Amino acid sequence: MKPVPTARAHRLADSIDLVLPRTFRAPIDDVWAAVTEPERTARWFGPWKGDAAPGRMIQVQMVFEEEEPWMDLRIDACEPPHRLAVSSTDESGAWRMELRLESRGAATELRLVHHLDSADKIPDAGPGWEYYLDMFAAAFDGTPRPDFADYHPAMTPYFTELAGKFS
């Protein structure tokens, strides 16, 4: 079965927020550990090293990208087990993102929020985040990894239409 895009977007005063939700049948502390512990992030995004504290930089290896590059990532906020905000600057420019977790009974809702400075970045960012969140779900549940071809370019029309709502 092909994945279905889950993202929605909202205009704020200083950004357009691309929001992607996932729900896990697990306690919030377990989901938090899967997004913050290096040995667990390595399963779906990449390992990281450094002193992970607000205001500090860590290095994250993008093991599912070509050449498996390392990138610097600034921890802007860390409020266990509910919110992790990070930012970075790379060849594409500066970006900010948050992971927000909320208990929902026996489940945990995770929302990835990518704060974008313009809507034209939605078609590139959206399919990638859908892929990484499904990678996270597969690693968390112990199911097979998704295929990136099911996300890009397959989901690009959805995200292009979503971006068009802000033009």
Side-chain angles (χ1 to χ4, degrees), residues 32 53-55 74-80 83-86 97-99:
W32 178 260
R74 177 183 163 80
I75 307 296
D76 297 318
C78 184
E79 302 161 9
R83 180 174 172 253
L84 176 65
V86 298
M97 141 185 139
E98 295 180 60
L99 292 171

Side-chain angles (χ1 to χ4, degrees), residues 9 14 25 39 44-46 51 70 72 77 89 94 105 109 135 155:
D14 64 344
R25 293 182 190 271
E39 62 278 357
W44 64 277
F45 193 79
D51 182 15
W70 285 87
D72 291 331
T89 302
E109 181 182 64
M135 287 279 287
M155 289 186 178

Side-chain angles (χ1 to χ4, degrees), residues 8 13 23 38 47 49 61 65 71 79 104 119 122 131-132 139 149 160 167:
R8 56 193 192 283
T23 301
K49 59 186 177 183
Q61 186 178 23
E65 301 289 328
M71 66 179 282
E79 302 161 9
R104 302 268 190 215
I122 292 174
Y131 170 73
Y132 274 108
T160 299
S167 299

Side-chain angles (χ1 to χ4, degrees), residues 36-149:
T36 59
E37 294 176 0
E39 62 278 357
R40 293 187 71 182
T41 62
R43 298 177 199 160
W44 64 277
F45 193 79
W48 60 268
K49 59 186 177 183
D51 182 15
R56 304 254 176 142
M57 297 289 280
I58 62 170
Q59 289 190 310
V60 178
Q61 186 178 23
M62 308 282 295
V63 296
F64 299 101
E65 301 289 328
E66 284 185 31
E67 300 177 22
E68 299 183 2
W70 285 87
M71 66 179 282
D72 291 331
L73 196 62
R74 177 183 163 80
I75 307 296
D76 297 318
C78 184
E79 302 161 9
H82 298 285
R83 180 174 172 253
L84 176 65
V86 298
S87 58
S88 185
T89 302
D90 60 21
E91 63 278 350
S92 301
W95 58 271
R96 300 175 300 126
M97 141 185 139
E98 295 180 60
L99 292 171
R100 299 177 184 168
L101 285 74
E102 190 172 328
S103 291
R104 302 268 190 215
T108 300
E109 181 182 64
L110 179 146
R111 288 183 319 274
L112 183 148
V113 182
H114 190 158
H115 306 289
L116 298 163
D117 57 7
S118 69
D120 65 342
K121 295 182 179 176
I122 292 174
D124 289 329
W129 287 130
E130 294 280 5
Y131 170 73
Y132 274 108
L133 286 175
D134 286 351
M135 287 279 287
F136 176 81
F140 195 87
D141 296 335
T143 57
R145 289 183 183 148
D147 182 351
F148 187 66

